[in-house]
Amino acid sequence: MAGLLPHLIAGCTLYLIGRYYYRAYFEGDDTTKKQILLAIICLSLSLIPDIFLGTYYTTHILSFRTLMPYQIFAHFILIPITIVILALLLFRFDTKRKPLWIMGIIALALHFLMDLFLQEAGLFI
């Protein structure tokens, strides 16, 4: 599992990619609001699945061994559920914000792939 910096870099990069790729979506009314929402979606979905590891590294309130089952639960149960919810928003309920939901799904998928292939070396890397 990658540390904080790779997840932040991935979230910021996805924000820039989404803002550039969907630039037609960000034209017109509420441009700033849409861009802030995209930034929140990309960064939060890049970081939130690792909230338990973040808790361990920042507070050491519980041991790593105690928090690891919750970390695994967050990845293997909550990530697929969140992707299904975003897909429902994308195709069924809130289709006018498609670029936001697509970038959210990509952020979660990239988070999972980074955790799968990158080795953990501590809080930041």
Side-chain angles (χ1 to χ4, degrees):
M1 294 181 197
L4 179 64
L5 287 179
H7 287 322
L8 283 176
I9 291 169
C12 292
T13 303
L14 285 175
Y15 166 75
L16 293 173
I17 290 170
R19 191 170 156 208
Y20 177 74
Y21 188 76
Y22 295 111
R23 62 183 169 265
Y25 172 75
F26 293 106
E27 293 175 355
D29 297 336
D30 297 330
T31 302
T32 306
K33 181 180 169 184
K34 290 176 183 178
Q35 289 176 356
I36 290 172
L37 190 57
L38 177 67
I40 290 170
I41 288 172
C42 288
L43 286 172
S44 66
L45 292 177
S46 292
L47 293 173
I48 285 180
D50 283 337
I51 193 75
F52 299 107
L53 283 179
T55 301
Y56 168 74
Y57 283 121
T58 56
T59 64
H60 292 285
I61 199 163
L62 295 171
S63 70
F64 186 79
R65 180 174 266 178
T66 303
L67 288 174
M68 205 54 185
Y70 298 107
Q71 176 72 17
I72 293 169
F73 173 78
H75 278 77
F76 291 111
I77 302 297
L78 295 179
I79 287 178
I81 289 171
T82 307
I83 288 176
V84 168
I85 290 170
L86 288 172
L88 285 173
L89 286 170
L90 175 65
F91 296 115
R92 179 84 172 157
F93 297 112
D94 194 8
T95 58
K96 66 180 181 176
R97 294 186 181 142
K98 273 187 177 185
L100 300 176
W101 310 137
I102 290 171
M103 293 309 294
I105 291 171
I106 292 171
L108 275 175
L110 182 61
H111 175 97
F112 184 74
L113 289 173
M114 283 190 332
D115 282 352
L116 192 62
F117 292 114
L118 296 178
Q119 291 287 51
E120 180 181 358
L123 173 62
F124 294 110
I125 297 177

